[in-house]
């Protein structure tokens, strides 16, 4: 296969490169070496899937990723913990970026840059800068959003609101984009742009939430300094890497939470029994939702956490002070969006599929896989029904965005998600650039890394769907 040939070539090339590098270093040429340890700063390298040792199914996925992206990136190497999801993700991303669609290829990558820059995600910005140039994009656009065509500049306001406060999007915002004479968007183009923006906002959440390291050929992915005595350098510390490969399940890490998993399972059992015994009234359910929504506004990511220093990407968007956090300080009011009035299943899906064929289907499949993905395990326990926990995580995220499901008892969220977990969720979803290794380590300490990555898949898909619902509802209102 192509992948086997690529691997064999890579092996031979590796030997040749090693010889060449020895020769070059003898000539005094500086050789870069990887700055990080493996694809993630949060997950010890020995616990990720090693390329060359993957099973046949993963090998096929790696071949697909390589064929579509021209590289095997670190996002793929972490997502492969969940092959079924990765396959759906790669298929969707390939369709959005490379298959027939309303937008030209260079616009697609530029919109990816705009979206990732909103969260200062230099990892994704750098990838798409390269792709943008590769498909013939004008390098001048990369000097700042004001150098891009007016049509793309007009998308800046929607990008900003979708990323930070999607509940503020109205049909008037949609009308402005569709009605501006020579720089107007068509409905199909706008749907394509909205799906790309939400895809890259949520992928930025995954990138920061899993501590994805830059590849060696990217900015921040290499250094010319020789390895230091203690095996890691000062730049690792600023990026949240502290040397020790302490697995959350190791005795040292899990002493304070020896019975965390059992306690969580016991709560799930009790909640199931309560569900069977009594049903709360509609008024009580509404009150619990409002209480949880209010409380979620008060959960904030640590003020003193400094996000990893990133290359300045702010030139790719305007109004850099606009974000989720500074708004919440002023007693943010998020209006309630009732899911039965406008849901993905009943409304959003068909609108997307009508205006951008096949994408609705691809997104629907990806949402379903993330939401229903289970191996029926919790840490060291087998045959566990985790649906209650997965639903609590998904609905908590939608609750932060003001989206309410009438048939869900929001009292369950406080029972199942503790404070450190809520802080992690809110940070990854709303201000992903502030996510730290400490936050990642501090929730679900006894769980496997694959389970924490699974949590991140729920976070990114719930976030993407919430953003999409607000944008699609506004488009529907404009159309009717």
């Amino acid at each position: 296969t192509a992948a086997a040939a690529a691997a064999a070539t890579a092996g031979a090339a590796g030997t040749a490169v090693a010889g060449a590098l020895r020769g070059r270093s003898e000539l005094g040429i500086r050789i870069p070496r990887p700055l990080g340890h493996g694809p993630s700063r949060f997950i010890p390298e020995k616990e990720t899937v090693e390329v060359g040792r993957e099973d046949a199914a993963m090998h096929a996925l790696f071949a697909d990723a390589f064929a579509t992206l021209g590289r095997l990136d670190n996002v793929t190497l972490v997502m492969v913990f969940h092959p079924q999801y990765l396959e759906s993700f790669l298929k969707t991303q390939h369709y959005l970026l490379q298959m027939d669609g309303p937008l030209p290829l260079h616009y697609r990558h530029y919109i990816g840059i705009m979206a990732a820059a909103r969260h200062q995600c230099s990892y994704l910005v750098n990838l798409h800068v390269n792709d943008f140039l590769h498909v013939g994009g004008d390098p001048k656009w990369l000097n700042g959003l004001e150098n891009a065509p007016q049509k793309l500049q007009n998308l800046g306001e929607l990008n900003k609101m979708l990323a930070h406060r999607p509940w503020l999007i109205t049909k008037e915002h949609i009308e402005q984009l569709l009605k501006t004479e020579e720089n107007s968007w068509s409905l199909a183009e706008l749907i394509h742009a909205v799906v790309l923006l939400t895809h890259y906002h949520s992928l930025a959440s995954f990138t920061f939430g899993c501590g994805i390291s830059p590849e060696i050929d990217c900015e921040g992915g290499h250094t010319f300094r020789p390895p230091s005595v203690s095996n890691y350098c000062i730049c690792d510390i600023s990026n949240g890497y502290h040397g020790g490969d302490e697995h959350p399940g190791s005795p040292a890490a899990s002493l304070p939470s020896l019975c965390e998993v059992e306690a969580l399972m016991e709560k799930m059992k009790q909640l199931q029994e309560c569900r069977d015994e009594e049903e709360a009234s509609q008024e009580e359910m509404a009150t619990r939702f409002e209480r949880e929504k209010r409380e979620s506004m008060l959960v904030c990511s640590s003020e003193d956490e400094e996000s990893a220093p990133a290359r300045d990407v702010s030139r790719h968007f305007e109004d850099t002070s606009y974000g989720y956090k500074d708004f919440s300080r002023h007693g943010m009011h998020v209006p309630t969006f009732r899911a039965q009035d406008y849901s993905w299943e009943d409304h959003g899906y068909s609108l997307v599929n009508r205006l951008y064929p096949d994408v609705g289907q691809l997104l629907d499949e990806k949402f379903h896989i993330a939401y229903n993905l289970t191996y029926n395990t919790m840490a060291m326990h087998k045959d566990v029904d985790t649906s209650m926990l997965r639903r609590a995580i998904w609905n908590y995220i939608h609750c932060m965005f003001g989206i309410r499901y009438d048939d869900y008892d929001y009292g369950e969220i406080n029972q199942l998600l503790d404070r450190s977990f809520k802080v992690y969720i809110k940070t990854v979803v709303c201000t992903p650039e502030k996510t730290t290794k400490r936050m990642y380590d501090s929730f679900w300490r006894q769980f496997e890394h694959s389970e924490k990555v699974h949590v991140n898949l729920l976070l990114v898909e719930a976030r993407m769907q919430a953003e999409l619902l607000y944008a699609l509802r506004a488009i529907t209102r404009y159309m009717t």
Side-chain angles (χ1 to χ4, degrees):
T1 66
T9 313
T15 315
V17 167
L21 286 180
R22 275 196 304 277
R24 285 191 174 187
S25 59
E26 283 154 17
L27 291 171
I29 296 170
R30 298 165 80 217
I31 311 297
R33 64 179 186 83
L35 194 55
H37 303 263
S40 161
R41 297 196 318 275
F42 298 172
I43 305 170
E45 188 173 14
K46 61 177 182 288
E47 293 185 41
T48 56
V49 175
E50 199 180 324
V51 181
R53 297 206 174 161
E54 71 276 11
D55 61 26
M58 284 184 185
H59 186 72
L61 275 174
F62 284 165
D64 286 348
F66 191 82
T68 55
L69 301 169
R71 60 180 172 264
L72 199 52
D73 64 3
N74 287 339
V75 166
T76 302
L77 293 175
V78 171
M79 250 182 215
V80 81
F81 272 124
H82 305 285
Q84 189 194 0
Y85 174 86
L86 175 60
E87 186 176 7
S88 175
F89 172 86
L90 289 172
K91 210 162 52 174
T92 306
Q93 183 166 264
H94 176 63
Y95 197 92
L96 291 175
L97 291 175
Q98 290 167 303
M99 300 297 280
D100 283 348
L103 293 173
L105 297 182
H106 63 304
Y107 265 52
R108 302 180 197 195
H109 291 294
Y110 197 81
I111 290 168
I113 293 167
M114 286 172 68
R118 254 321 337 162
H119 285 306
Q120 299 149 49
C121 187
S122 51
Y123 174 87
L124 291 174
V125 169
N126 291 337
L127 286 185
H128 285 282
V129 161
N130 292 334
D131 291 337
F132 171 77
L133 294 171
H134 183 69
V135 296
D138 183 346
K140 285 204 285 291
W141 297 10
L142 300 174
N143 294 332
L145 187 57
E146 68 281 0
N147 298 288
Q150 189 60 45
K151 183 170 174 172
L152 282 166
Q153 291 185 43
N154 292 349
L155 203 58
E157 186 74 7
L158 186 66
N159 180 26
K160 176 172 93 170
M161 286 190 298
L162 266 178
H164 306 298
R165 308 173 203 168
W167 50 87
L168 296 180
I169 297 168
T170 63
K171 68 176 188 185
E172 284 72 28
H173 293 112
I174 303 303
E175 190 170 16
Q176 277 172 347
L177 288 164
L178 298 170
K179 287 273 169 80
T180 41
E181 272 60 66
E182 70 222 72
N183 300 307
S184 66
W185 291 75
S186 71
L187 265 174
E189 286 174 332
L190 187 59
I191 289 283
H192 193 168
V194 161
V195 175
L196 281 166
L197 289 171
T198 56
H199 176 81
Y200 282 103
H201 293 155
S202 49
L203 191 53
S205 283
F206 184 84
T207 302
F208 285 116
C210 291
I212 300 292
S213 307
E215 281 80 24
I216 187 169
D217 59 334
C218 291
E219 195 158 338
H222 58 263
T223 180
F224 292 107
R225 290 168 55 174
S228 61
V229 184
S230 60
N231 233 352
Y232 63 91
C233 66
I234 202 74
C235 38
D236 290 332
I237 299 173
S238 67
N239 282 337
Y241 176 75
H242 301 290
D245 273 355
E246 213 171 75
H247 177 255
S250 72
S254 64
L255 275 175
S257 56
L258 218 45
C259 49
E260 180 188 33
V261 186
E262 284 78 4
L264 190 50
M265 287 172 68
E266 184 55 36
K267 277 183 190 157
M268 285 160 65
K269 191 170 139 225
Q270 286 167 1
L271 284 170
Q272 189 56 57
E273 285 164 3
C274 292
R275 257 189 205 174
D276 298 341
E277 282 168 25
E278 51 146 355
E279 181 95 358
S281 69
Q282 275 304 309
E283 292 86 322
E284 177 57 26
M285 300 271 260
T287 306
R288 287 175 191 176
F289 168 77
E290 288 301 331
R291 187 184 307 133
E292 192 54 56
K293 187 173 74 173
R294 242 189 346 267
E295 281 181 14
S296 79
M297 299 305 142
L298 303 174
V299 171
C300 56
S301 49
S302 297
E303 293 286 330
D304 57 348
E305 296 292 0
E306 281 303 312
S307 46
R311 193 187 83 149
D312 179 29
V313 292
S314 57
R315 62 173 180 269
H316 298 296
F317 62 93
E318 72 278 318
D319 197 358
T320 49
S321 64
Y322 188 99
Y324 186 92
K325 195 172 85 174
D326 52 296
F327 191 35
S328 62
R329 286 189 180 139
H330 309 304
M332 170 165 55
H333 172 67
V334 182
T336 294
F337 178 132
R338 296 177 68 204
Q340 76 268 33
D341 296 340
Y342 197 95
S343 69
W344 167 256
E345 291 76 14
D346 299 333
H347 309 90
Y349 167 78
S350 52
L351 176 65
V352 173
N353 243 17
R354 189 162 85 242
L355 292 167
Y356 187 8
D358 296 334
V359 166
Q361 184 63 47
L362 287 165
L363 292 175
D364 192 57
E365 183 184 291
K366 189 159 64 77
F367 291 147
H368 273 283
I369 288 171
Y371 187 85
N372 295 310
L373 187 67
T374 183
Y375 306 95
N376 298 109
T377 57
M378 273 177 71
M380 64 298 284
H381 297 276
K382 306 259 185 292
D383 303 316
V384 185
D385 178 1
T386 60
S387 55
M388 182 184 283
L389 188 54
R390 284 180 279 121
R391 190 176 181 192
I393 294 167
W394 186 280
N395 286 2
Y396 179 60
I397 294 153
H398 279 200
C399 177
M400 293 190 311
F401 285 93
I403 298 170
R404 178 185 169 215
Y405 297 90
D406 278 0
D407 61 345
Y408 183 68
D409 179 356
Y410 287 85
E412 291 187 3
I413 289 173
N414 270 339
Q415 299 286 316
L416 297 173
L417 316 183
D418 65 25
R419 186 153 185 89
S420 64
F421 192 16
K422 282 182 169 179
V423 167
Y424 176 79
I425 292 174
K426 182 162 185 185
T427 306
V428 171
V429 171
C430 301
T431 51
E433 60 280 6
K434 292 182 163 33
T435 312
T436 62
K437 186 174 189 300
R438 186 163 71 229
M439 287 179 192
Y440 173 90
D441 287 342
S442 70
F443 84 91
W444 283 14
R445 297 174 194 209
Q446 284 182 297
F447 287 75
E448 300 290 328
H449 287 292
S450 62
E451 292 172 304
K452 292 192 169 202
V453 173
H454 186 176
V455 164
N456 280 324
L457 299 183
L458 280 169
L459 304 195
V460 302
E461 294 302 332
R463 173 186 181 170
M464 183 173 181
Q465 194 182 88
E467 283 188 32
L468 271 176
L469 282 171
Y470 279 106
L472 297 174
R473 183 179 69 167
I475 291 171
T476 301
R477 285 177 174 173
Y478 164 79
M479 290 166 71
T480 48

